[in-house]
Amino acid sequence: MSLPSLHDLHRPLGATGLAVSPLGLGTVKFGRDQGVKYPNGFTIPDDQAAAALLRQAQALGINLLDTAPAYGHSETRLGPLLRGQRDQWVIVSKVGEEFENNQSRFDFSAEHTRLSVERSLRRLETDCIDLVMVHSDGNDLHILEHTDVYETLARLKQEGKLRAYGFSGKTVEGGLKALEHGDCAMVTYNLNEQTERPVIEYAALHDKGLLIKKALASGHACQQPGIDPVRASFEALFTQPGVTAAIVGTINPVHLAHNVATVAKVLNNH
């Protein structure tokens, strides 16, 4: 019997022309183990383990990879790991947040946005990033209305350095505003936190891409007797028609296989 996979479940990311797996692999743990909010400690995988995880993800039908400059060495490691297979992946990166000396700092200026994207292109060894998201510090509307980050991303898209851009925010107002002009939003949505649902509904109505972060509440998924928290989490997500994909970060092959099998089951039952 073949393993459940996501190969036949890829879907359009809004109107971007990109088709993505409903589950994306978050790679924060490929490059950063400081200042991360996970319930258990972990060791950053070596190249062999990281390459094996990427091969497994691909075999299970995942083509969506999420990284960021703020994820430590994640981008720098992904470049060499993806050599010869760039066209098989949809890569999401970010701008706006830098992580240095164990703390975050934010810069949404035009100069920094361009510098950040061009640095990510070099690190990822590619001439075009599929999707670049703004890594918000929480002041969503201020960033969108009073900085040049979105305008700069639009220009970089025209230059062919990225295919699509969007916003990973923390507020409903920010998510809605971001989708008016951008291609995609990334919102928090899980069993415990559903305040950003209006952004998901807007995405469904306006053919925008919508990615979910913290789908399993960063590993803190709700515990109720007799309920598989992973299954319940993915059911809550994928009953929302606006959701394109959930980004889940893991370096555990067993968790990865379980997540894929669960998503496949949930989507095939709908």
Side-chain angles (χ1 to χ4, degrees):
M1 192 180 119
S2 63
L3 286 171
S5 92
L6 304 175
H7 287 287
D8 299 329
L9 295 168
H10 289 200
R11 56 256 305 267
L13 184 71
T16 62
L18 298 164
V20 298
S21 49
L23 187 66
L25 180 63
T27 62
V28 64
K29 290 181 177 180
F30 278 38
R32 173 175 157 188
D33 57 4
Q34 301 297 310
V36 285
K37 303 182 183 90
Y38 292 102
N40 305 307
F42 63 92
T43 304
I44 291 175
D46 61 21
D47 283 351
Q48 203 178 344
L53 196 77
L54 290 168
R55 278 195 305 274
Q56 179 193 7
Q58 209 170 32
L60 293 171
I62 290 176
N63 75 334
L64 181 61
L65 280 182
D66 178 77
T67 185
Y71 295 172
H73 304 296
S74 174
E75 287 184 322
T76 312
R77 298 190 68 202
L78 283 172
L81 286 167
L82 299 180
R83 274 178 202 155
Q85 43 178 302
R86 172 66 186 93
D87 60 340
Q88 294 159 51
W89 296 97
V90 173
I91 298 180
V92 183
S93 193
K94 321 276 185 347
V95 292
E97 182 181 357
E98 299 287 327
F99 185 74
E100 296 155 350
N101 306 318
N102 290 344
Q103 53 188 5
S104 287
R105 69 176 178 83
F106 293 87
D107 187 339
F108 303 105
S109 66
E111 299 74 24
H112 185 266
T113 301
R114 180 172 286 278
L115 174 150
S116 181
V117 168
E118 290 179 345
R119 184 186 58 191
S120 293
L121 288 167
R122 285 194 303 276
R123 287 175 172 175
L124 292 163
E125 301 185 7
T126 186
D127 53 10
C128 181
I129 300 168
D130 298 298
L131 174 63
V132 175
M133 307 292 280
V134 178
H135 230 162
S136 174
D137 60 1
N139 298 302
D140 295 355
L141 284 180
H142 175 81
I143 294 164
L144 289 162
E145 292 170 353
H146 301 288
T147 78
D148 294 324
V149 65
Y150 239 37
E151 204 178 294
T152 309
L153 289 175
R155 202 163 295 135
L156 288 161
K157 180 181 174 178
Q158 285 172 341
E159 292 170 20
K161 291 180 175 173
L162 46 112
R163 288 193 176 84
Y165 66 93
F167 196 82
S168 176
K170 302 190 178 178
T171 64
V172 170
E173 301 74 28
L176 294 174
K177 178 90 177 169
L179 283 181
E180 274 177 41
H181 303 290
D183 302 299
C184 184
M186 189 183 275
V187 302
T188 298
Y189 192 87
N190 56 50
L191 292 170
N192 310 331
E193 208 174 321
Q194 304 189 352
T195 51
E196 291 175 79
R197 181 183 286 179
V199 184
I200 300 175
E201 291 165 353
Y202 182 97
L205 286 172
H206 296 85
D207 198 17
K208 299 287 186 173
L210 198 288
L211 303 178
I212 300 291
K213 55 186 170 181
K214 302 187 174 74
L216 305 178
S218 297
H220 304 268
C222 80
Q223 305 298 323
Q224 282 179 296
I227 290 177
D228 172 359
V230 175
R231 174 84 187 241
S233 297
F234 287 135
E235 275 176 347
L237 285 190
F238 289 114
T239 49
Q240 307 287 325
V243 171
T244 312
I247 305 288
V248 178
T250 186
I251 47 174
N252 181 318
V254 176
H255 288 172
L256 184 62
H258 178 60
N259 291 344
V260 166
T262 307
V263 169
K265 210 174 290 176
V266 166
L267 288 173
N268 286 322
N269 285 349
H270 275 305

